[in-house]
Amino acid sequence: PTKPGCTFIGWTGSNGTTPQTNITIEKGNTQDRTYNANYEFIKFTQGALSYECASGTEVKVTACNSGATSVTIPTTVTDNDVTYSVTAIATGAFANCSGLKNINIPASVTSIGNHAFLGCTDLTSITVPSSVNSIGDYAFEMCSGLTEVFMESTTPPTLGNRAFDGCDEELVIYVPAGTSETYKDADGWEDYAYKIEDYGSCGDNVNWTYNTDTNTLTIFGTGAMANGQPWYCYSGEITKVVIRNGVTTIGDGAFALCNNLTSIDIPTS
């Protein structure tokens, strides 16, 4: 018998609880017998990542080579001529990969499991795509170097216990512009409300964030700002602007109508 994403390991039932791939019934034996097919999910490794089938067409990342420093999780992966969608990061998949500095999560991933990145001490920044709808307990706990988390979803994913405990004291959780209050009020996220700030794009490689508690607009990245004012909804509240080193040009009309602006830091770049 076959089952998508699985390997047949044997029959159990009238023959006992140990799976057997071959069953012999004596000729003439009319006794009622029941047998159940037993399977295990297919597991395989490609590159630095190990996978396990979660269904017939989907796999989850279950482990990473402990020496990996930069990892891109693929959207799909093929094994034995079967292509699977990568939809989850399993419990402890990257736990204690202390040398991991960069991780790219594709939009096919919908869940990040418990302890998934626990103890990844060299990880400084991570982007969580909008496809992710759940982040497990302790998912980023003890990521002591983590200073930036970029959330792309306008709806807060379900967040487990102590997901960001033990991260860098300067950790900022950036959320799409206009959603910071939604995140701050959401279960689990309220524990990190003081770290949550709105952000958006204001150039090819330039982003902005606004802290509603301090009324501070911060612009960071590399290269030129685009023209215009994507933070227009906050223009009447902004009292301070900080432009970080790396930004080379201020866009036209960037701070028009910021009537309460009293301070602006411009870098040497």
Side-chain angles (χ1 to χ4, degrees):
T2 61
K3 184 177 181 180
C6 298
T7 300
F8 174 67
I9 60 173
W11 301 97
T12 57
S14 296
N15 60 316
T17 58
T18 302
Q20 295 176 300
T21 56
N22 294 294
I23 301 294
T24 300
I25 301 175
E26 296 178 0
K27 184 177 180 180
N29 190 321
T30 59
Q31 181 181 356
D32 290 340
R33 292 173 178 269
T34 301
Y35 298 99
N36 298 305
N38 293 265
Y39 303 87
E40 64 180 7
F41 285 117
I42 293 172
K43 301 175 184 179
F44 57 93
T45 298
Q46 287 191 12
L49 299 176
S50 296
Y51 303 89
E52 179 179 319
C53 288
S55 71
T57 59
E58 300 176 353
V59 294
K60 56 187 177 182
V61 179
T62 57
C64 178
N65 186 315
S66 60
T69 58
S70 182
V71 173
T72 295
I73 300 173
T75 300
T76 60
V77 63
T78 300
D79 180 65
N80 289 330
D81 297 324
V82 179
T83 299
Y84 303 94
S85 295
V86 182
T87 58
I89 299 173
T91 296
F94 294 89
N96 299 313
C97 290
S98 58
L100 184 66
K101 299 179 184 295
N102 299 292
I103 177 75
N104 294 311
I105 302 173
S108 58
V109 170
T110 60
S111 65
I112 297 174
N114 299 341
H115 312 280
F117 293 94
L118 182 146
C120 292
T121 54
D122 279 1
L123 190 63
T124 59
S125 178
I126 191 168
T127 297
V128 179
S130 58
S131 56
V132 172
N133 54 44
S134 66
I135 299 173
D137 297 340
Y138 319 107
F140 297 96
E141 188 178 35
M142 302 309 296
C143 290
S144 56
L146 190 61
T147 59
E148 298 177 332
V149 175
F150 290 91
M151 302 299 303
E152 294 189 338
S153 177
T154 56
T155 300
T158 301
L159 189 68
N161 295 323
R162 296 172 54 182
F164 297 103
D165 281 18
C167 293
D168 191 288
E169 290 183 358
E170 301 300 319
L171 171 68
V172 179
I173 301 171
Y174 296 109
V175 301
T179 66
S180 60
E181 295 306 315
T182 301
Y183 269 83
K184 289 177 182 180
D185 291 339
D187 289 344
W189 294 97
E190 74 265 23
D191 295 338
Y192 305 101
Y194 65 104
K195 294 182 177 294
I196 294 173
E197 296 183 8
D198 286 316
Y199 90 100
S201 174
C202 58
D204 289 341
N205 295 298
V206 183
N207 292 309
W208 64 274
T209 181
Y210 181 66
N211 187 312
T212 57
D213 294 325
T214 63
N215 300 117
T216 299
L217 173 70
T218 302
I219 299 167
F220 57 98
T222 55
M225 290 170 54
N227 295 330
Q229 192 181 94
W231 44 82
Y232 69 91
C233 59
Y234 301 113
S235 60
E237 303 172 10
I238 297 170
T239 59
K240 181 177 181 179
V241 172
V242 177
I243 304 175
R244 292 183 184 169
N245 201 42
V247 178
T248 58
T249 304
I250 296 175
D252 293 346
F255 309 118
L257 302 179
C258 292
N259 299 324
N260 292 309
L261 180 63
T262 59
S263 171
I264 181 168
D265 294 346
I266 299 176
T268 58
S269 60

